[in-house]
Amino acid sequence: MSRFESTVHRPSQLNQNTPFTTTLQSFSHHDGALAALRFWKDHLSHTHPATDVIKHTRRGMMRSAIMRNLALPKWMREGSSFGEHGLELEYDSIIVRIVNIRQRLCKLLSEKTDSQRTSPKFASIAEELNKEAGDIDKALQDWTANFPSTWSYQRHTLSNPQPWPTRDFYSPIVYNYSSPNYAAVWNQYHAMRMLVNSTRWRVLELELPSPADFVHDQRLECLFHMNTMANDLASSVPYCLQRLKFADCANSSSYHKSIMPNTNEDIKPYLAGLVIWPLSIASSLKDVDVEQKLWFRSELARLGRIIGAGVFECAETDKWLEL
């Protein structure tokens, strides 16, 4: 039902006076899925091990919590109980921390008043959130250090002279992967680091007791990481949508493969799954470069039209989600 609601939702249904997340009927079905997951955890998990359905349902609920700035229930926080293991479990534990810090920041901002803003308690919580965001960002980087070498990607520069950005290509820099599965993992990494650094940026906007120069340097660091990750994600989109093709080239000394745009074929709908969630994050962060965010939104909206998901078509409207 959640997917049905997201499919039939259209930009014309947006209420200009209501936040985007409250206009989506699909979130009520998310709450229903959460209740079903709780029933399995309380009554069935001891005799029925977690299936892929259980695992992916929980992942969907975690994404929902990120979009709505909700806290994860305690019973849901341990990924191993829901079938996560290995690198997936390591990533899962990081996502739990991201959900937690965003909910804590949302709560802090909602309770903020002039008197609270200058209170020692407010400053202490803000400093704690700043440190936690930095630790999470490092944890994500450490996570990729355990990737097998086969998961790495190659950087190429297209030689086609044309104005950038364009459809499916933000710049002439593109990444090539040995498998779409590896591209999907890296896309998640790039998007989550963007989210974490955006969260830290918002914390640093508060009046922290740290020296002004120190805070300024940290904000510049956040911007640098966000821009780098945004470029990495944008450079991965052409591969994920199968917009690249290779050709053998020969010169006097050797043969090599050149890489060129492949824009003549329609995008296969199933490929959208590799980038929909990362693009949803990247297009929702206010600290991303304006031109690049517009490109992310345009790509997401077009993919929404391709897969028939009206909710993603809303990305090109002024009421699109802001995280």
Side-chain angles (χ1 to χ4, degrees):
M1 286 302 299
S2 173
R3 290 188 177 182
F4 170 78
E5 295 286 2
S6 295
T7 297
V8 300
H9 193 85
R10 287 292 182 270
S12 60
Q13 295 176 285
L14 293 176
N15 186 330
Q16 295 302 313
N17 299 316
T18 306
F20 180 78
T21 53
T22 61
T23 66
L24 296 182
Q25 296 297 319
S26 57
F27 282 131
S28 61
H29 301 298
H30 289 198
D31 296 336
L34 187 65
L37 199 62
R38 178 66 184 269
F39 182 86
W40 171 85
K41 183 68 170 63
D42 290 346
H43 303 287
L44 300 175
S45 60
H46 300 297
T47 56
H48 295 74
T51 62
D52 283 344
V53 171
I54 292 294
K55 179 170 66 176
H56 287 285
T57 297
R58 176 175 171 274
R59 291 180 182 179
M61 295 305 96
M62 293 171 72
R63 290 193 291 269
S64 179
I66 287 176
M67 288 189 289
R68 295 191 284 172
N69 288 319
L70 298 179
L72 286 181
K74 290 184 179 180
W75 59 266
M76 191 178 162
R77 295 176 187 174
E78 181 47 60
S80 60
S81 301
F82 296 87
E84 305 287 3
H85 63 276
L87 284 172
E88 291 180 347
L89 178 59
E90 187 177 345
Y91 176 73
D92 180 89
S93 66
I94 296 173
I95 300 303
V96 170
R97 295 172 66 185
I98 293 175
V99 174
N100 178 60
I101 190 176
R102 288 189 57 79
Q103 190 276 332
R104 290 181 63 196
L105 176 60
C106 182
K107 182 179 179 181
L108 184 67
L109 294 175
S110 68
E111 296 177 350
K112 185 179 65 176
T113 64
D114 290 341
S115 60
Q116 288 175 317
R117 189 182 183 93
T118 56
S119 70
K121 181 180 179 181
F122 184 92
S124 175
I125 295 175
E127 286 278 22
E128 183 181 334
L129 293 179
N130 180 38
K131 181 180 183 306
E132 173 66 1
D135 290 344
I136 294 173
D137 191 49
K138 184 178 185 305
L140 281 166
Q141 296 174 70
D142 293 342
W143 177 61
T144 63
N146 297 319
F147 286 3
S149 59
T150 52
W151 292 20
S152 61
Y153 52 84
Q154 292 76 46
R155 184 178 186 271
H156 301 273
T157 302
L158 299 175
S159 58
N160 306 63
Q162 58 180 310
W164 310 97
T166 186
R167 176 178 290 185
D168 301 330
F169 294 86
Y170 180 70
S171 77
I173 306 300
V174 296
Y175 293 168
N176 182 47
Y177 298 81
S178 59
S179 166
N181 293 332
Y182 306 153
V185 173
W186 280 104
N187 289 343
Q188 299 265 2
Y189 166 76
H190 296 142
M192 287 303 104
R193 283 201 67 197
M194 289 178 68
L195 181 61
V196 169
N197 279 280
S198 176
T199 302
R200 191 180 186 194
W201 171 271
R202 292 180 64 189
V203 173
L204 291 167
E205 285 184 319
L206 305 175
E207 293 184 6
L208 301 182
S210 303
D213 289 345
F214 178 74
V215 172
H216 177 71
D217 290 344
Q218 288 191 323
R219 293 182 69 181
L220 289 179
E221 180 183 334
C222 289
L223 280 180
F224 173 78
H225 290 320
M226 277 190 283
N227 289 336
T228 300
M229 293 300 104
N231 288 333
D232 287 341
L233 176 59
S235 295
S236 299
V237 168
Y239 170 85
C240 293
L241 301 182
Q242 294 186 353
R243 311 311 267 172
L244 302 176
K245 62 181 178 181
F246 296 86
D248 292 327
C249 296
N251 56 34
S252 58
S253 59
S254 64
Y255 285 91
H256 66 278
K257 288 186 177 293
S258 66
I259 190 167
M260 297 177 291
N262 177 32
T263 57
N264 296 326
E265 298 181 8
D266 293 337
I267 293 176
K268 300 176 179 63
Y270 73 88
L271 296 173
L274 298 174
V275 292
I276 282 286
W277 173 240
L279 286 178
S280 298
I281 294 293
S283 64
S284 305
L285 302 177
K286 64 178 181 179
D287 307 309
V288 175
D289 175 78
V290 174
E291 182 183 44
Q292 194 164 40
K293 183 160 65 173
L294 289 174
W295 183 83
F296 284 138
R297 288 187 173 189
S298 175
E299 289 293 304
L300 182 60
R302 191 164 69 91
L303 290 177
R305 289 188 285 272
I306 289 173
I307 66 176
V311 66
F312 296 119
E313 295 182 46
C314 299
E316 288 184 308
T317 70
D318 293 336
K319 293 293 293 181
W320 179 239
L321 178 70
E322 185 173 285
L323 296 175

